[in-house]
Amino acid sequence: MTLLEGSVGVEDLVLLEPLEQESLIRNLQLRYEKKEIYTYIGNVLVSMNPYQQLPIYDLEFVAKYRDYTFYELKPHIYALANMAYQSLRDQDRDQCILITGESGAGKTEASKLVMSYVAAVCGKGEQVNSVKEQLLQSNPVLEAFGNAKTIRNNNSSRFGKYMDIEFDFKGSPLGGVITNYLLEKSRVVKQLEGERNFHIFYQLLAGADAQLLKALKLERDTGGYAYLNPDTSRVDGMDDDANFKVLQSAMTVIGFSEEEIRQVLEVAALVLKLGNVELVNEFQANGVPASGIRDGRGVQEIGELVGLNSGELERALCSRTMETAKEKVVTALNVVQAQYARDALAKNIYSRLFNWLVNRINESIKVSTGEKRKVMGVLDIYGFEILEDNSFEQFVINYCNEKLQQVFIEMTLKEEQEEYKREGIPWVKVEYFDNGIICNLIEHNQRGILAMLDEECLRPGVVSDSTFLAKLNQLFSKHSHYESKVTQNAQRQYDHSMGLSCFRICHYAGKVTYNVNSFIDKNNDLLFRDLSQAMWKARHPLLRSLFPEGDPKQASLKRPPTAGAQFKSSVTTLMKNLYSKNPNYIRCIKPNEQQQRGHFSFELVNVQAQYLGLLENVRVRRAGYAYRQAYGSFLERYRLLSRSTWPRWNGGDQEGVEKVLGELSMSSEELAFGKTKIFIRSPKTLFYLEEQRRLQLQQLATLIQKTYRGWRCRTHYQLMRKSQIVISSWFRGNMQKKRYRKMKASALLIQAFVRGWKARKNYRKYFRSGAALILSDFIYKSMVQKFLLGLKNNLPSPSILDKKWPSAPYKYFNTANHELRRLFHQWKCKKFRDQLSPKQVEVLREKLCASELFKGKKSSYPQSVPIPFHGDYIGLQRNPKLQKLKGGEEGPILMAETVMKVNRGNGKTSSRILLLTKGHVIITDTKNAQAKTVIPLNSLARVSVTSFKDGLFSLHLSEISSVGSKGDLLLVSEHVIELLTKIYRATLDATQIQLPVAVTEEFSVQFKEGSLTVKVIQGPGGGGTGKLSCKKKGSRCLEVTVQ
């Protein structure tokens, strides 16, 4: 048990000492500040709203509270839910859980936690899981349509809800039935500053896609609707868009079809559109005030949305038909009356839609089987309300709370009386405040306030709120729980807080002043018949079904029941339902008005504690015996207080308890022995038992510590003794091992010296002084022989490209191995050269020369390496004219190719044939094969070529004396590497002088008239193609671009 030991404050207020209002609140404050939000009053749970998520609701806590009884763990809502569920499952007792408290106290969350716990601990299975899911998913739907942001709470339930969850004999849920009470439909048309309309309107505008909004004829901006408060369209911590998706998913899980969901949203949109219907003053021909609609577009859109004739809707809003048995009279409504009719229609549509949703959910979750069922009811209803201006809504709410308080007192006393009777203890009548006189004041069939209100509403003649108040003053002038200005004046009392249009009722939780203004209208709750008939004529199935009285065939002149009568009937039915079940109570309290975590307002909690009657609850619970417990549990906890029962007791539990209490000399007036439980009258007696137990535990703890220390010292000594023996034996053994190893080492040393002496003696006897050199020389030669023979067997292939070579087995062979590798490579190269023909040798020499000239300098060189040098690129053998151009002594033509000659004047190119002989470079015309220019090789001064992939080069002459030459030649060749290599070799053979080859991007070309600077640049393409573009830059510069 954790009621006292290790707890924060007092976990059960029945044990509170002293029992006063202040100490009760202080205890709640102490526990709240330590994040202990739950406290017991017997089996009643008091819950404080923490305004934060606490880690006490996961599956670990569900499993923990499922395995323990009510008082074995700290107070928790799961403990109460578990007690109710186990009583229902195991004892076949129908249960009800009553959750009360004012707005913002956490009633809705408490009901969710109860349902989630029951869903977690009940049976499993596909059908069971489906039922549980439907029951749980009803919450998002009812919250969307029945909850709203108020000044006190961001998610306040604006209706009362009672859900009956039905179980089979195994405790698995079969279904349920939901009953709703008094939806605050006035919120549809008007909200206080800082409050919002019902959540559904904001969720619809925020979460619906553009296509759906267009179909519903809505705009996303909440500021465009008269029924919505634009200043509070968003709420911190609430995502309307995501909640709309959750709503749609929940409706699908419950069983709503897509068409039904669409129709529900259309009716919600209709309510929003009605608020934008603006009514203006008009006058009839006879001057009587009438009303009309400023802009008919809104009415037309409503008609298109629900299939309604806009003209009929306009007539129903602006006029009223009075019908008697003989005639009909149509009366025009002024603006005020028309606005009242519009708002009444909007409120009725929304209220009826909400009722339809509840009925539709009930159809989905109702139990279809006829087997015997167990029922657990969960009541989440508004708490006692005292506002600055209390009206009809607060009156009926507080009436309901009076009835619930009456149920609580009667059921608590009844439960106490039944327990006393079961245990065989005499029942003593408990004095308590009976609020039946207040309930009678409100609900008496002939002389109650509700009866007077209905009578005034039905009375012919002029009826007003003031006449209703006058009737109350006359009827209840001497009632002890009724006050008004008239009754106070009669008693010569002065109270400035009491208005002329007010009356006051002394409720069990305090005095509440009610303003009678609008009592008559709110009780009548009338909707003009014209509006009902107009709605029934709509071609919208859902809207039409909400107004069955609009059907002319079902038209009735009988007046419908008033709101007060309907609510009284609902409360009566609810009370009967509660009396038939075993009640469990959750009293919800909000710690502050700002919804701040960790902040506790003493005054606010004190007022709520008075509303809820917590102190009265404790007093009723403590009227007889404050504490009771089964003999077994009591003996298990306190048997250590008696030498007879400690440490072992073999007798019965009751006998053991009597032994314990007898040795403690407890007063007989403080104790009562029942059949299965011990009853203790005063909390002081229990505290005395706890104190004695604490002292005894200290003594036992001292004894246990003493015994443990002695055992630990003996164990430590024995362990040390065993360790000393082990260490001693190990030490002696180790010493002997060391001595043995030392003796062995000495013997081995002596043996080594003896063997060495013998060996040296034999060496001197059998070997000459030079034997060591002979042996080492023999060994070295053997190693060399082995190395060379191994190398012979592992020689690489004779290919000159194979550069593999075995590594030396010893470091001192590295030099010889490297030399052998070089010789072998030279031998392979020689063998390769010996196999080549003279022509192949010549080709290789040309390639070698090209490598020396252009490798790493010319970008096109790598591409030319694998291509053989052909020399003849114009088919010289088939052109005898060109063969005659060389002299007979010149020998064969070394190179014949078509080149492009660059004109120095304009940069244009012309085709020429270049012939290279052993002594000359001949430039001929491609058409008539006539020599244009003949350049002796000894006249070449140098050659200039670029580093790009182009074929541009220049032949620089030492003197301008060649035949047909006008100066240096600027040519373009497709085989520039081969051509310049052959020119270089031919010049070297003819003059024995190396021809300079300059690789540069800028060079000068000499002509008879002067010089020209050639500047080669790379184009945007990076010069990859090698194509040239020449452009003259002034008279002395030629710019060549390599594309």
Side-chain angles (χ1 to χ4, degrees), residues 846 850 853-854 869-871 873 894-900 913-917 921-923 937 940 943 951-953 955 971-987 995 997:
E846 288 180 346
L853 291 175
F854 301 109
F869 290 168
H870 293 294
Y873 291 98
L894 302 178
M895 183 78 177
E897 182 192 9
T898 301
V899 298
M900 305 300 292
I913 295 176
L914 184 147
L915 302 176
L916 173 64
T917 65
V921 175
I922 304 171
I923 306 297
L937 293 180
L940 293 177
V943 176
L952 179 69
F953 68 95
L955 298 177
L971 305 173
V972 180
S973 170
E974 293 182 357
H975 307 88
V976 64
I977 302 295
E978 180 181 356
L979 176 59
L980 295 182
T981 301
K982 289 182 178 293
I983 291 175
Y984 176 85
R985 286 176 56 80
T987 304
L995 179 65
V997 178

Side-chain angles (χ1 to χ4, degrees), residues 101-286:
E102 70 173 61
S103 179
K107 301 187 300 297
T108 302
E109 289 301 317
S111 66
K112 290 181 184 177
L113 290 171
V114 169
M115 292 180 64
S116 64
Y117 178 84
V118 173
V121 300
C122 63
K124 308 294 181 183
E126 184 176 351
Q127 182 177 357
V128 172
N129 290 337
S130 175
V131 172
K132 290 193 291 187
E133 190 66 19
Q134 287 183 337
L135 290 172
L136 293 175
Q137 290 301 321
S138 65
N139 283 323
V141 178
L142 295 178
E143 282 188 15
F145 287 88
N147 289 24
K149 179 194 182 309
T150 65
I151 298 174
R152 298 179 173 182
N153 185 6
N154 289 345
N155 188 31
S156 175
S157 297
R158 307 317 299 162
F159 68 104
K161 179 180 71 173
Y162 178 75
M163 173 183 283
D164 267 335
I165 307 173
E166 301 181 353
F167 299 83
D168 61 11
F169 70 97
K170 297 177 294 184
S172 299
L174 298 172
V177 178
I178 299 173
T179 306
N180 62 300
Y181 298 95
L182 198 67
L183 176 72
E184 187 190 16
K185 57 186 178 182
S186 61
R187 180 171 294 272
V188 174
V189 299
K190 184 179 180 182
Q191 307 95 43
L192 298 177
E193 185 178 354
E195 296 191 349
R196 294 206 317 177
N197 210 321
F198 291 100
H199 291 327
I200 180 59
F201 299 120
Y202 304 92
Q203 293 177 4
L204 175 60
L205 297 179
D209 55 34
Q211 183 178 358
L212 178 57
L213 286 178
K214 183 178 179 181
L216 299 178
K217 303 185 184 302
L218 297 175
E219 300 292 336
R220 200 173 296 278
D221 182 18
T222 57
Y225 300 96
Y227 283 165
L228 301 184
N229 193 341
D231 299 332
T232 53
S233 59
R234 294 190 178 276
V235 178
D236 294 337
M238 185 176 293
D239 188 346
D240 292 322
D241 186 2
N243 289 340
F244 185 71
K245 305 296 188 300
V246 172
L247 169 65
Q248 290 178 308
S249 174
M251 295 180 76
T252 303
V253 170
I254 292 172
F256 284 78
S257 65
E258 291 186 5
E259 183 61 27
E260 286 177 323
I261 296 175
R262 179 66 173 255
Q263 290 178 12
V264 169
L265 296 180
E266 286 174 347
V267 174
L270 166 62
V271 174
L272 281 179
K273 302 290 289 183
L274 272 175
N276 288 353
V277 175
E278 188 175 357
L279 298 160
V280 295
N281 279 312
E282 291 183 358
F283 292 93
Q284 295 181 337
N286 57 3

Side-chain angles (χ1 to χ4, degrees), residues 531-803:
L531 293 172
S532 299
Q533 293 176 349
M535 294 299 102
W536 186 83
K537 292 178 182 178
R539 292 188 298 276
H540 192 277
L542 175 57
L543 181 62
R544 182 185 177 97
S545 67
L546 298 181
F547 293 88
E549 73 275 13
D551 186 356
K553 296 179 181 179
Q554 300 181 10
S556 172
L557 299 180
K558 184 179 178 181
R559 187 183 184 91
T562 61
Q566 293 180 33
F567 188 75
K568 177 184 173 183
S569 175
S570 300
V571 169
T572 303
T573 304
L574 175 64
M575 294 304 113
K576 290 180 181 178
N577 201 345
L578 296 181
Y579 277 121
S580 67
K581 296 179 174 61
N582 182 54
N584 303 271
Y585 299 93
I586 300 177
R587 307 294 202 181
C588 296
I589 297 176
K590 66 176 180 180
N592 59 78
E593 290 283 9
Q594 296 76 29
Q595 304 179 26
Q596 294 179 355
R597 64 179 66 178
H599 177 60
F600 188 95
S601 173
F602 188 93
E603 295 76 12
L604 178 63
V605 176
N606 186 39
V607 171
Q608 293 176 81
Q610 291 177 356
Y611 293 170
L612 296 171
L614 298 187
L615 190 62
E616 186 76 11
N617 295 353
V618 177
R619 285 173 176 161
V620 170
R621 179 74 179 182
R622 284 178 55 168
Y625 293 90
Y627 179 78
R628 72 286 316 267
Q629 193 175 25
Y631 286 126
S633 300
F634 186 89
L635 181 62
E636 182 66 26
R637 184 169 183 81
Y638 298 108
R639 65 192 178 96
L640 53 84
L641 299 180
S642 170
R643 293 183 178 274
S644 303
T645 57
W646 180 261
R648 187 176 294 104
W649 172 253
N650 297 322
D653 291 340
Q654 181 174 354
E655 184 182 355
V657 171
E658 291 174 353
K659 284 279 187 183
V660 172
L661 297 177
E663 291 187 14
L664 292 174
S665 301
M666 304 289 290
S667 172
S668 60
E669 295 180 357
E670 285 291 315
L671 305 174
F673 294 92
K675 296 178 180 178
T676 61
K677 293 180 180 180
I678 175 68
F679 289 76
I680 299 176
R681 186 179 301 278
S682 171
K684 292 181 180 180
T685 304
L686 182 63
F687 295 151
Y688 172 75
L689 288 173
E690 283 293 319
E691 180 64 19
Q692 293 298 315
R693 182 177 182 273
R694 184 184 65 81
L695 295 174
Q696 188 65 25
L697 284 175
Q698 288 182 353
Q699 296 177 6
L700 290 175
T702 303
L703 177 62
I704 293 171
Q705 290 173 353
K706 180 179 70 173
T707 306
Y708 171 73
R709 290 192 188 101
W711 170 83
R712 190 176 65 177
C713 288
R714 286 192 300 274
T715 304
H716 183 63
Y717 165 74
Q718 291 171 356
L719 183 61
M720 288 178 63
R721 187 169 179 272
K722 290 180 181 178
S723 301
Q724 189 272 332
I725 295 172
V726 172
I727 292 172
S728 298
S729 62
W730 182 88
F731 178 77
R732 287 193 294 269
N734 189 53
M735 289 295 293
Q736 292 300 323
K737 288 178 183 177
K738 282 185 177 180
R739 184 181 177 190
Y740 167 75
R741 284 195 293 268
K742 190 174 182 180
M743 292 174 64
K744 182 179 179 181
S746 300
L748 292 175
L749 182 62
I750 293 171
Q751 291 175 357
F753 273 105
V754 172
R755 291 191 189 98
W757 174 75
K758 287 184 177 181
R760 287 191 296 274
K761 184 178 179 182
N762 291 333
Y763 172 76
R764 287 192 297 271
K765 181 178 179 181
Y766 295 107
F767 293 95
R768 299 187 300 274
S769 59
L773 295 175
I774 295 173
L775 285 173
S776 62
D777 184 58
F778 173 76
I779 293 172
Y780 180 74
K781 289 180 179 179
S782 298
M783 293 172 64
V784 171
Q785 183 181 14
K786 183 178 179 181
F787 166 63
L788 294 176
L789 290 175
L791 189 62
K792 172 188 174 184
N793 297 329
N794 293 320
L795 286 175
S797 64
S799 172
I800 60 173
L801 299 177
D802 188 0
K803 296 184 179 181

